[in-house]
Amino acid sequence: MLLSACGVWLVALGLYFVFLRPALLPEDPRYIGVTLERLREAAPGLEAWLRIVFAVMGGHMVGLGIFTLLIAVVLLPYRPSGTAWALAVTGGTTVVLMSAMNFVLHSDFRWMLVLPALFWVLALVAYLRRI
């Protein structure tokens, strides 16, 4: 059930990135150390480019979320060999890495983004313990 929740979260986050996320959040220029106006002046095409980048990234999130739901609902009950390893690597390279990088960036959302990483780890532990 936890892994299914992670899949739903990934789909929702991906849709946010495709349709709602602004190219630059208020924290982005703050991290870079320049005002939004100076950034726009120095790189006038940056925001349009970032919208494309985030649409692609969001599409990947939606795809991963749907695939995660499929794995959680269809595959996990059969416990095929290698599943725990695949879950650990997938979670580590997606939600855990994203959460960690938000701490590096001092993101305003860093504490909220710990939850999906925690849920993924808990899902892996539950799978390993056969809960």
Side-chain angles (χ1 to χ4, degrees), residues 1-14 61 64-73 76 95 115-123:
M1 208 154 87
L2 282 171
L3 195 60
S4 293
C6 289
V8 170
W9 176 81
L10 281 165
V11 170
L13 184 64
M61 289 178 193
L64 177 62
I66 291 169
F67 196 68
T68 300
L69 280 166
L70 174 76
I71 297 299
V73 173
L76 286 188
V95 294
L115 292 176
L118 179 62
F119 286 158
W120 198 286
V121 169
L122 291 174

Side-chain angles (χ1 to χ4, degrees), residues 6-125:
C6 289
V8 170
W9 176 81
L10 281 165
V11 170
L13 184 64
L15 292 173
Y16 166 76
F17 269 74
V18 171
F19 296 111
L20 300 173
R21 190 195 189 282
L24 291 167
L25 297 170
E27 65 193 37
D28 296 333
R30 183 176 66 229
Y31 179 81
I32 296 169
V34 66
T35 65
L36 185 56
E37 293 75 28
R38 294 249 351 231
L39 191 55
R40 285 178 175 153
E41 186 179 292
L46 179 64
E47 289 175 282
W49 176 74
L50 284 173
R51 282 188 194 91
I52 294 167
V53 168
F54 289 136
V56 171
M57 190 168 72
H60 279 267
M61 289 178 193
V62 170
L64 177 62
I66 291 169
F67 196 68
T68 300
L69 280 166
L70 174 76
I71 297 299
V73 173
V74 176
L75 187 65
L76 286 188
Y78 295 103
R79 305 186 65 78
S81 176
T83 302
W85 174 86
L87 287 175
V89 171
T90 301
T93 58
T94 58
V95 294
V96 173
L97 180 61
M98 181 187 61
S99 178
M101 290 303 102
N102 275 277
F103 276 89
V104 170
L105 295 171
H106 300 287
S107 168
D108 296 340
F109 305 99
R110 64 188 177 265
W111 291 106
M112 181 178 66
L113 292 172
V114 167
L115 292 176
L118 179 62
F119 286 158
W120 198 286
V121 169
L122 291 174
L124 179 60
V125 169

